[in-house]
């Protein structure tokens, strides 16, 4: 066949005729002589076919599949070829050259192709001139967007790998580098120049460092696991010998210092339930804050979600409860707004079905009861000025009392502060000074002379000064001017000297059967100052002893001197052993402190002897404490606290009921209690205006009562009230 390769050999026969010339010379043997094949080939009808293409710089070579050779005829211009690239500027074909025997067409491009470019080539046969064909004249077919192998070498790498990020999980810290190619996979030794620091916990060392060349990472194995809460940094200093972090081209990574590390170490399993921390209300929104290491479960709660709210005002229901998972709060929307004066508590009982308050780990919050709520509801705006109520004078001290919902402005007043005092008799009076008692809501004027008890008509007037401090409330409402207001003259009348000195008073009885102890000594001929008009001289109240940390003269440790508070009175009682002891009474008491908005006043506090009918079973070391108080409202029940020295041994505040039986008002059956507060015994009790413990038996806005801070034996089996006609027993 035309494509076959043939050889011929000759070995002279041993007999018979042989190849020789006419002279008889034999032809020599030969072996495998080539034979020219002149058998004509069959007719070629197969066109050359695109096989592949490769580019290097600005030369793109296309290779064809062809049984024979290509037509070597010169091609013109781009010869129908076009080249496209994904990046960079456009490419045109400047020329195309055929290599007939290599069966290739080499295109010269308008620019060099970069190593990172992706290139394709297309061919459309020209309508005139030479075309790509084989020697038999079969034209190559058109083709479109054939991929081109890019063999253009990348430029030399001179850029070092650069630190990009780091993350730690347990004891594995992975650093990622930015690098155009790959890292050098050479093994690193020891810590490889890396150091790791943590804000908490024990020190961390790097045990080993391993390179992942293609991932472009270095993984450090640490000496200990990093906790989820730790903040970690990593540093690198290139070692002076041995393998270093570098890229495959040999560019060393630069040193870096204290780079932050993302901590992906999972937190330990949470098995601690969220715990109630505090609660605050503002209007109709009550926000509970929980203590929780993670977050709360944000699942929607239904209805009141198990929460109940109680108040000193009208009933409150919970309309809805909304969780803020990240703030760790639950916000309750209440059925009404809470006023600024209300005392509010909140309770929680976990619902038996539906979503409950819990943390994201599913630990349910525990039930709680009657937790105090901070009331942040702002008080209503005060636009009512203080109003003149009354005035009293004692010698040269004139006290003006104002009616005011809040307190007076305590700013110091200058000179007479706009006040003028007139008397029907005697020499003229000027006002030397004016002093405000903000909480007592009084202004005390010091006069230029003493007003005598015989001056029956004394008046006081006020004209607001045009400059400087004026009488006003804490909200800045100025008191109105007033003219010729009558002043109650409390200056005592002169007392004639007694014909003979009185015998010393006997101390109070220590028990009911030992006779009546003497009352407190009667006042002398000159009445001592009593700033708050509670019946106890300032001198006695200034000696009051309060709970630990209280200043002298502050018997209930509310940081206000008792002599300036109408609802707090302190006096020195005489004990059965003839010593003195401090006793403090608080009216309208809230755990021993005065309600800021209260207008309750103590008008008298004295020591009285025990009645002769009292049983010897009741020990009364300070006899009876007798007091009188005016209330906010007629017929109301008022709370009181009596502070005494616990060394007296009192186990209650004992008073006689309507049947004549002595009962302990400072006990739970009567709504009272006993509290040890800072080394003082506080006896809390309540008395109803007009009730059985109100001595005047009338609901008239005034309570008059006598009781004993006394001791009753805990067991009185067999001890009957042998002298009381009522026949009652003590309990």
């Amino acid at each position: 066949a035309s494509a076959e390769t043939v050889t011929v050999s000759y070995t002279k026969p041993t007999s018979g005729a042989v190849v020789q010339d006419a002279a008889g010379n034999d032809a020599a043997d030969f072996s495998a002589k080539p034979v020219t094949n002149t058998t004509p080939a069959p007719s070629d009808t197969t066109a050359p076919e695109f096989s592949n293409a490769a580019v290097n710089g600005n030369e793109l070579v296309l290779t064809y599949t062809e049984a024979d050779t290509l037509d070597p005829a010169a091609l013109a211009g781009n010869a129908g070829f076009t080249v496209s690239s994904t990046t960079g500027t456009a490419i045109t074909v400047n020329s195309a050259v055929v290599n007939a025997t290599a069966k290739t067409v080499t295109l010269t491009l308008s620019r060099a192709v970069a190593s990172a470019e992706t290139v394709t080539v297309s061919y459309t046969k020209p309508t005139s001139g030479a075309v790509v064909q084989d020697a038999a004249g079969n034209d190559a077919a058109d083709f479109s967007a054939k991929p081109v192998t890019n063999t253009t070498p990348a430029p030399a790498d001179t850029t070092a790998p650069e630190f990009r990020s780091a993350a730690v999980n347990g004891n594995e810290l992975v650093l990622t580098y930015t690098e155009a190619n790959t890292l050098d996979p050479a093994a690193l030794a020891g810590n490889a120049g890396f150091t790791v620091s943590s804000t908490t916990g024990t020190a961390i060392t790097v045990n080993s460092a391993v390179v992942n060349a293609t991932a472009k990472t270095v993984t450090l194995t640490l000496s200990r696991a990093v906790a989820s809460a730790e903040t970690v940094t990593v540093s690198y200093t290139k070692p002076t010998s041995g393998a270093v972090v570098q890229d495959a081209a040999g560019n060393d990574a630069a040193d870096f210092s204290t780079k932050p590390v993302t901590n992906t170490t999972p937190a330990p399993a949470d098995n601690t339930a969220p715990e109630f921390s505090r609660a605050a209300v503002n209007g109709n929104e009550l926000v509970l804050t929980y203590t929780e290491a993670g977050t709360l479960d944000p699942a929607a709660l239904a209805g009141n979600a198990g929460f109940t709210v109680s108040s000193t005002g009208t009933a409150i229901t919970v309309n809805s409860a909304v969780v803020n998972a990240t703030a760790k709060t639950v916000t309750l929307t209440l059925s009404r707004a809470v006023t600024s004066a209300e005392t509010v508590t909140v309770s929680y009982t976990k619902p038996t079905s539906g979503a409950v308050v819990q943390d994201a780990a599913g630990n349910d919050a525990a039930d709680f009861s009657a937790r105090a709520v901070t009331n942040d509801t702002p008080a209503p705006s005060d636009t009512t000025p203080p109003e003149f109520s009354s005035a009293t004078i004692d010698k040269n001290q004139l006290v003006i009392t104002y009616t005011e919902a809040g307190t007076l402005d305590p700013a110091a007043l200058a000179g007479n502060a706009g006040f003028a005092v007139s008397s029907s008799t005697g020499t003229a009076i000027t006002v030397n000074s004016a002093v405000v008692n903000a909480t007592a809501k009084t202004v005390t004027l010091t006069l230029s002379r003493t007003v005598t008890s015989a001056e029956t008509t004394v008046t006081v007037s006020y004209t607001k000064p045009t400059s400087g401090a004026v009488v006003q409330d804490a909200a800045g409402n100025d008191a109105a001017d007033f003219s010729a207001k009558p002043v109650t003259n409390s200056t005592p009348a002169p007392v004639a000297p007694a014909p003979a000195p009185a015998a010393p008073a006997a101390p109070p009885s220590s028990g009911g059967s030992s006779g009546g102890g003497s009352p407190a000594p009667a006042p002398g001929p000159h009445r001592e100052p009593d700033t708050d008009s509670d019946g106890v001289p300032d001198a006695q109240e200034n000696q009051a002893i309060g709970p630990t940390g209280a200043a002298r003269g502050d018997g209930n440790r509310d940081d206000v001197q008792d002599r300036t508070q109408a609802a707090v009175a302190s006096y020195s009682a005489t004990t059965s052993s003839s010593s003195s002891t401090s006793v403090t009474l608080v009216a309208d008491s809230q755990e021993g402190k005065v309600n800021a908005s209260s207008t309750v006043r103590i008008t008298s506090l004295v020591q009285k002897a025990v009645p002769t009918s009292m049983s010897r079973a009741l020990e009364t070391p300070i006899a009876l404490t007798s007091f009188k108080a005016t209330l906010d409202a007629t017929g109301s029940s008022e709370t009181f606290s009596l502070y005494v020295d616990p060394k007296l041994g009192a186990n209650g505040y004992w008073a006689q009921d309507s049947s004549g039986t002595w009962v302990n008002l400072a006990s739970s059956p009567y709504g009272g209690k006993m509290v040890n507060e800072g080394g003082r015994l506080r006896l809390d009790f309540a008395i109803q205006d007009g009730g059985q413990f109100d001595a005047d038996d009338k609901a008239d806005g005034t309570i008059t009562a006598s009781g004993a801070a006394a001791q009753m034996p805990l067991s009185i089996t067999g001890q009957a009230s042998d002298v009381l006609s009522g026949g009652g027993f003590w309990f």
Side-chain angles (χ1 to χ4, degrees):
S2 61
E4 284 185 86
T5 300
V6 181
T7 61
V8 62
S9 299
Y10 173 69
T11 301
K12 184 172 66 172
T14 55
S15 63
V18 299
V19 178
Q20 55 181 317
D21 59 18
N25 300 303
D26 293 345
D29 293 349
F30 59 82
S31 177
K33 295 295 186 178
V35 178
T36 300
N37 189 344
T38 60
T39 304
S43 176
D44 182 2
T45 60
T46 303
E49 186 178 347
F50 174 85
S51 172
N52 58 68
V55 68
N56 188 326
N58 71 334
E59 262 196 2
L60 191 156
V61 179
L62 301 96
T63 301
Y64 283 84
T65 299
E66 166 57 36
D68 294 316
T69 61
L70 294 185
D71 181 359
L75 303 174
N78 65 15
F81 291 98
T82 56
V83 175
S84 298
S85 169
T86 56
T87 57
T89 56
I91 301 174
T92 56
V93 177
N94 291 343
S95 63
V97 176
V98 176
N99 185 319
T101 53
K103 306 170 191 177
T104 61
V105 177
T106 299
L107 308 181
T108 300
L109 307 180
S110 58
R111 68 169 177 82
V113 172
S115 61
E117 283 186 85
T118 300
V119 179
T120 59
V121 63
S122 301
Y123 174 68
T124 303
K125 184 172 65 175
T127 55
S128 63
V131 299
V132 177
Q133 59 181 2
D134 59 16
N138 297 300
D139 293 346
D142 295 350
F143 57 82
S144 177
K146 295 291 186 178
V148 178
T149 302
N150 191 342
T151 61
T152 304
D157 182 1
T158 60
T159 304
E162 185 177 347
F163 172 88
R164 186 173 74 189
S165 63
V168 67
N169 188 326
N171 72 331
E172 264 198 356
L173 192 156
V174 179
L175 302 99
T176 302
Y177 283 84
T178 299
E179 164 58 35
N181 297 305
T182 61
L183 295 184
D184 181 359
L188 303 175
N191 65 14
F194 291 99
T195 55
V196 175
S197 299
S198 169
T199 55
T200 57
T202 56
I204 300 174
T205 55
V206 177
N207 291 344
S208 63
V210 177
V211 176
N212 185 318
T214 53
K216 307 170 191 176
T217 62
V218 178
T219 299
L220 309 181
T221 300
L222 308 181
S223 58
R224 68 169 177 84
V226 172
S228 61
E230 284 187 84
T231 301
V232 180
T233 59
V234 62
S235 301
Y236 173 69
T237 303
K238 185 171 66 175
T240 54
S241 62
V244 299
V245 178
Q246 60 181 2
D247 61 19
N251 299 299
D252 293 348
D255 294 352
F256 59 80
S257 178
T258 59
K259 295 288 187 181
V261 177
T262 301
N263 190 342
T264 61
T265 305
D270 180 3
N271 53 21
T272 303
E275 185 176 348
F276 173 87
S277 172
R278 63 184 184 278
V281 68
N282 189 325
N284 71 332
E285 265 198 357
L286 192 155
V287 180
L288 302 99
T289 302
Y290 284 83
T291 299
E292 164 59 33
T295 60
L296 295 185
D297 179 1
L301 303 175
N304 66 12
F307 291 98
T308 55
V309 175
S310 299
S311 167
T312 53
T314 56
I316 299 175
T317 56
V318 177
N319 291 344
S320 64
V322 178
V323 176
N324 185 317
T326 52
K328 307 170 192 177
T329 60
V330 178
T331 299
L332 309 182
T333 300
L334 308 181
S335 58
R336 67 170 178 83
V338 171
T339 66
S340 60
E342 283 185 84
T343 300
V344 179
T345 61
V346 63
S347 301
Y348 173 70
T349 302
K350 184 172 65 173
T352 54
S353 63
V356 300
V357 178
Q358 59 180 3
D359 60 20
N363 300 300
D364 293 348
D367 295 352
F368 57 82
S369 178
R371 294 302 178 99
V373 178
T374 302
N375 192 340
D376 293 331
T377 304
S381 178
D382 181 1
T383 59
T384 304
E387 184 178 347
F388 175 90
S389 172
S390 62
T392 61
I393 191 168
D394 187 343
K395 296 187 276 299
N396 73 332
Q397 298 288 302
L398 191 155
V399 179
I400 301 167
T401 302
Y402 283 86
T403 300
E404 163 60 33
T407 61
L408 295 185
D409 180 1
L413 304 175
N416 65 15
F419 291 99
V421 177
S422 298
S423 172
S424 58
T425 57
T427 57
I429 301 173
T430 57
V431 177
N432 291 344
S433 63
V435 177
V436 176
N437 185 316
T439 53
K441 308 169 193 177
T442 61
V443 178
T444 300
L445 309 181
T446 300
L447 309 182
S448 59
R449 69 171 177 83
T450 296
V451 172
T452 69
S453 60
E455 294 182 70
T456 56
T457 305
V458 179
T459 60
V460 62
S461 301
Y462 173 69
T463 303
K464 185 172 65 174
T466 55
S467 63
V470 299
V471 178
Q472 59 180 3
D473 59 21
N477 300 300
D478 293 347
D481 295 351
F482 58 82
S483 177
K485 294 289 186 180
V487 179
T488 301
N489 191 342
S490 298
T491 302
V495 178
S509 170
S510 62
S513 64
S514 59
S518 298
H526 298 291
R527 185 177 176 185
E528 297 181 50
D530 178 10
T531 300
D532 53 4
S533 301
D534 58 7
V536 184
D538 291 351
Q540 281 200 55
E541 295 204 86
N542 287 341
Q543 298 305 311
I545 297 173
T548 302
R552 181 64 74 117
D554 181 9
N556 64 332
R557 199 178 65 175
D558 63 354
D559 299 327
V560 180
Q561 288 289 295
D562 298 346
R563 64 179 170 79
T564 67
Q565 292 180 282
V568 181
S570 295
Y571 78 104
S572 296
T574 303
T575 69
S576 55
S577 60
S578 300
S579 61
S580 64
T581 184
S582 180
V583 177
T584 298
L585 179 69
V586 181
D588 201 2
S589 172
Q590 306 287 327
E591 300 293 331
K593 307 299 181 285
V594 179
N595 188 332
S597 61
S598 173
T599 58
V600 175
R601 300 175 63 86
I602 298 170
T603 58
S604 174
L605 177 64
V606 296
Q607 184 179 23
K608 286 189 176 180
V610 297
T612 57
S613 60
M614 181 178 285
S615 169
R616 68 175 62 89
L618 188 62
E619 299 175 6
T620 56
I622 56 172
L624 299 186
T625 300
S626 180
F627 64 89
K628 188 173 183 178
T630 58
L631 312 183
D632 287 327
T634 299
S636 63
S637 178
E638 193 56 73
T639 56
F640 298 91
S641 292
L642 189 70
Y643 285 86
V644 297
D645 188 342
K647 293 178 182 178
L648 296 175
N651 63 1
Y653 181 77
W654 301 83
Q656 276 187 304
D657 65 12
S658 56
S659 68
T661 301
W662 290 84
V663 298
N664 181 11
L665 295 185
S667 62
S668 56
Y670 291 91
K673 62 183 176 180
M674 296 193 298
V675 178
N676 191 327
E677 181 184 334
R680 299 287 285 172
L681 177 62
R682 193 183 83 220
L683 304 169
D684 292 342
F685 58 94
I687 296 178
Q688 180 83 30
D689 180 23
Q692 62 176 330
F693 300 106
D694 183 1
D696 62 14
D697 292 325
K698 292 185 295 184
D700 56 0
T702 301
I703 288 176
T704 304
S706 291
Q711 183 181 36
M712 176 70 76
L714 296 180
S715 174
I716 57 170
T717 303
Q719 294 189 37
S721 52
D722 51 359
V723 294
L724 290 179
S725 60
F729 285 84
W730 297 272
F731 55 87

